[in-house]
Amino acid sequence: MSEQKSVFSGVGPEDLASPAKAIAWWQKIRQGDESTADALKAAGKALGMEWIELDQSYLAEPGLMQLAPENFAKAHLMLPMDKDETGAIKVAVASPFLGTAVSELELSLKASVKMVLAPADTVMDALERAYSGKGMDGVFSDSEESLDALDNVEDLRDMAQAAPVIRLVNNAFRDAITQGASDIHISPYEEGLEIRFRVDGVLRLVNTVSRKFQAAIISRVKIMSNLDIAERRIPQDGRIRLKMDHKDFDIRVAVTPTVFGEGVVMRILDKSSIQVAIADVGFETEMLETWLELIHRPHGIILVTGPTGSGKTTTLYASLNHIKSPEIKLITTEDPVEYQLHGVDQIQVNAKVGLTFAAALRSILRQDPDVIMVGEIRDYETAEIAIQSALTGHLVLSTLHTNDAATAVTRLVEMGVAPYLVAPTLAGALAQRLVRKLCPQCRAQDADGKWRAVGCEACEDSGYKGRLGIFELLVNTPAVQTLISNQASAADIASQGQKEGMLTLLEDGMAKAARGLTTEEEVRRVAL
């Protein structure tokens, strides 16, 4: 900056009262020694406008971008971002003086505009990403030759910053979030790189990219998640934070070397909150009453079982949301903390520094909790502390990876916990799965009364939209306690539970299929 007095000094809104004065002042700035960023910041300060920084991970909201004409937005460098609580739309601009362009944009958006200032290059980059097509197809059409050979780390870094690569990766995130996908899979094969989304628990192929772009795409994901792009021999885990549709998303990234190069799986988590009501989880009325009775007990251990992605965390969070109150101290230890719950103290496990589930659980007991949630019981040490916590007057909720409710009991014994400790502390075990819900707009019922999936535009011709849980709840009654103490098999425990009214996963699912919530085929797919 020049040593002479800055043209910004002493400038206020009164100096910019007329368009002529404002334009003359702006031209004086642009002709001087001030940088563009300094000019924008000064203009913003004088005009009371907010200054923001847009990074390359920013994803524009598709609904707003569809309302803003592409040529108009790019010509004036105006990027619609999101709506505030008053209904006004925040728009990032690269100049504070846009004349009638603002009112024209308001007509297109059908809302008032609140301008914020941002660097021109970042606004243009965000506009390019937003208008680069509805999806990921054709992103590389103009730059295939430039991404052919990647020999070293610097090549990888440069190519990962190429506009087509940035557009493809950001469009993948945007499309996945728009479609409600829970995971993005980037899988390398001999013939090319497949990009798939997991929607409602089922993978869908959405794009195939030539292998020549593989290194650049994987490197782009690594850069965004702060991973080592030079390391390709060992698995790496990272995290990406994105903002879209007024929500913050946390993307958990797992990179794994395969025969044809590195593959990536990204789990999409909505970080805003999870406010699932316990009544919306999917319990049948009688089972819901039993579950509510269990989670309101003053002590004991409750286990939720099922494979990865079966909704265990959602059930536990909904339960915590239901029982939390200022009078109850709730603490969780999780790996990772998937969602933030107000009123609950949440601890992130970090094995690298020695903060394991067992270590965190020991610390939690010194915090005078009433209810404890342990993300997963993985070993004898964690199981033993959880059991001891339940014996000393705490309610403990946790998860296990077993196929049914009865096996959760025997799994604790197999870990080394004495049966005489499991029997009195276990309150109940819940096994669950997620099945796809029939699309309400196109589902059909045959003459025999069975419901079937049809497919329409609303469900993208799949016949299903959304998911719901099916459950198997084993309550530790006196008869079950006796079986546990006598080290009975899981089959014997399950048989006793059924005698006392326990519905199996298949039975609960079929009951929901009979009501048209899902199909018998879908229930068999996940429950058998």
Side-chain angles (χ1 to χ4, degrees):
M1 185 179 289
S2 170
E3 293 182 0
Q4 298 178 356
K5 187 176 180 182
S6 170
V7 293
F8 303 148
S9 302
V11 177
E14 66 279 358
D15 299 297
L16 311 174
S18 71
K21 284 184 177 181
I23 292 171
W25 179 77
W26 182 246
Q27 289 175 342
K28 187 178 180 181
I29 289 175
R30 300 303 299 274
Q31 293 168 1
D33 295 330
E34 314 287 356
S35 70
T36 302
D38 287 339
L40 282 173
K41 290 178 181 177
K45 184 176 182 181
L47 296 169
M49 296 174 67
E50 179 186 357
W51 168 265
I52 64 170
E53 297 282 353
L54 289 171
D55 59 36
Q56 291 184 336
S57 68
Y58 178 77
L59 298 180
E61 186 173 334
L64 292 178
M65 301 311 300
Q66 290 173 2
L67 297 175
E70 179 178 355
N71 291 337
F72 177 86
K74 287 183 176 180
H76 297 284
L77 289 184
M78 304 177 78
L79 174 71
M81 296 181 68
D82 51 46
K83 285 186 180 181
D84 63 17
E85 59 279 359
T86 67
I89 296 176
K90 183 165 70 174
V91 177
V93 297
S95 168
F97 309 112
L98 292 169
T100 59
V102 177
S103 57
E104 291 180 43
L105 184 61
E106 287 180 330
L107 289 175
S108 297
L109 298 176
K110 298 180 180 178
S112 59
V113 162
K114 177 184 177 182
M115 294 194 297
V116 296
L117 291 170
D121 56 344
T122 64
V123 174
M124 178 54 77
D125 286 345
L127 287 169
E128 287 290 346
R129 293 194 298 271
Y131 290 116
S132 59
K134 295 182 179 179
M136 296 172 286
D137 298 332
V139 176
F140 288 110
S141 58
D142 297 326
S143 306
E144 292 193 4
E145 295 304 318
S146 65
L147 298 177
D148 199 356
L150 300 170
D151 298 324
N152 56 49
V153 173
E154 289 307 314
D155 286 340
L156 286 171
R157 195 177 300 278
D158 291 343
M159 296 309 175
Q161 302 293 353
V165 177
I166 292 173
R167 285 203 301 271
L168 182 137
V169 174
N170 282 323
N171 284 348
F173 288 135
R174 185 178 63 195
D175 291 353
I177 291 170
T178 301
Q179 294 179 32
S182 60
D183 302 87
I184 301 172
H185 290 241
I186 302 178
S187 306
Y189 299 106
E190 187 174 8
E191 62 276 7
L193 197 68
E194 288 189 355
I195 300 177
R196 294 176 291 172
F197 297 162
R198 188 178 293 279
V199 181
D200 292 337
V202 178
L203 283 171
R204 299 177 183 172
L205 178 64
V206 294
N207 200 12
T208 301
V209 183
S210 171
R211 282 199 69 191
K212 64 176 8 177
F213 311 122
Q214 177 177 329
I217 293 169
I218 301 301
S219 295
R220 175 61 188 165
V221 173
K222 285 183 172 182
I223 288 172
M224 294 181 71
S225 49
N226 295 315
L227 299 179
D228 184 358
I229 63 172
E231 181 55 73
R232 308 180 198 178
R233 302 163 299 172
I234 61 174
Q236 297 186 69
D237 295 326
R239 180 170 291 184
I240 300 171
R241 289 178 173 83
L242 296 175
K243 185 178 180 65
M244 181 178 170
D245 290 342
H246 315 290
K247 297 178 182 179
D248 292 317
F249 293 91
D250 194 3
I251 315 294
R252 284 161 44 194
V253 180
V255 181
T256 306
T258 70
V259 173
F260 296 107
E262 291 177 298
V264 180
V265 176
M266 294 175 278
R267 170 65 57 89
I268 302 172
L269 302 173
D270 180 357
K271 295 295 290 182
S272 57
S273 66
I274 179 170
Q275 297 294 335
V276 178
I278 194 68
D280 297 332
V281 169
F283 289 116
E284 296 292 332
T285 303
E286 187 176 344
M287 191 181 296
L288 175 60
E289 292 175 357
T290 305
W291 181 254
L292 292 177
E293 180 185 334
L294 289 177
I295 64 175
H296 280 97
R297 291 192 179 186
H299 55 80
I301 185 166
I302 300 173
L303 299 174
V304 180
T305 78
T308 300
S310 59
K312 301 186 298 294
T313 301
T314 300
T315 298
L316 288 177
Y317 278 9
S319 300
L320 291 178
N321 268 329
H322 183 78
I323 63 177
K324 72 179 182 183
S325 73
E327 293 79 28
I328 298 176
K329 174 83 169 185
L330 295 94
I331 307 181
T332 74
T333 173
E334 307 169 60
D335 183 23
V337 174
E338 295 190 6
Y339 304 98
Q340 284 136 15
L341 292 173
H342 179 71
V344 179
D345 296 350
Q346 295 172 274
I347 299 173
Q348 169 75 54
V349 168
N350 187 350
K352 293 180 181 178
V353 298
L355 186 58
T356 61
F357 278 118
L361 196 45
R362 287 195 189 92
S363 175
I364 286 173
L365 293 175
R366 295 192 288 271
Q367 300 296 315
D368 188 29
D370 296 297
V371 180
I372 302 168
M373 188 188 98
V374 183
E376 183 183 348
I377 295 179
R378 297 176 177 172
D379 50 42
Y380 167 72
E381 187 179 13
T382 307
E384 182 186 38
I385 301 172
I387 290 290
Q388 292 296 335
S389 301
L391 282 170
T392 54
H394 303 89
L395 180 64
V396 180
L397 288 76
S398 190
T399 70
L400 277 176
H401 284 156
T402 63
N403 289 328
D404 54 41
T407 306
V409 180
T410 57
R411 178 64 56 84
L412 289 177
V413 176
E414 290 170 0
M415 285 182 178
V417 181
Y420 68 83
L421 292 177
V422 177
T425 55
L426 182 70
L430 177 77
Q432 70 175 76
R433 300 288 190 279
L434 291 176
V435 296
R436 291 180 294 171
K437 295 167 62 176
L438 276 172
C439 175
Q441 296 189 29
C442 65
R443 63 177 183 170
Q445 191 174 23
D446 295 331
D448 59 3
K450 292 183 179 181
W451 293 87
R452 59 182 170 87
V454 177
C456 65
E457 185 177 348
C459 60
E460 298 187 3
D461 294 320
S462 68
Y464 299 94
K465 193 172 182 65
R467 290 190 290 177
L468 79 156
I470 59 174
F471 305 93
E472 175 180 297
L473 179 57
L474 174 70
V475 178
N476 191 11
T477 62
V480 173
Q481 284 188 36
T482 300
L483 290 173
I484 296 173
S485 298
N486 294 333
Q487 300 189 49
S489 68
D492 290 339
I493 294 173
S495 178
Q496 180 61 38
Q498 288 178 268
K499 289 177 183 177
E500 297 179 1
M502 179 185 79
L503 291 177
T504 65
L505 285 166
L506 185 62
E507 290 169 340
D508 187 53
M510 288 302 181
K512 288 175 171 129
R515 288 168 29 215
L517 299 178
T518 186
T519 62
E520 293 185 2
E521 293 78 15
E522 179 68 9
V523 173
R524 291 191 184 96
R525 181 180 69 86
V526 301
L528 289 180

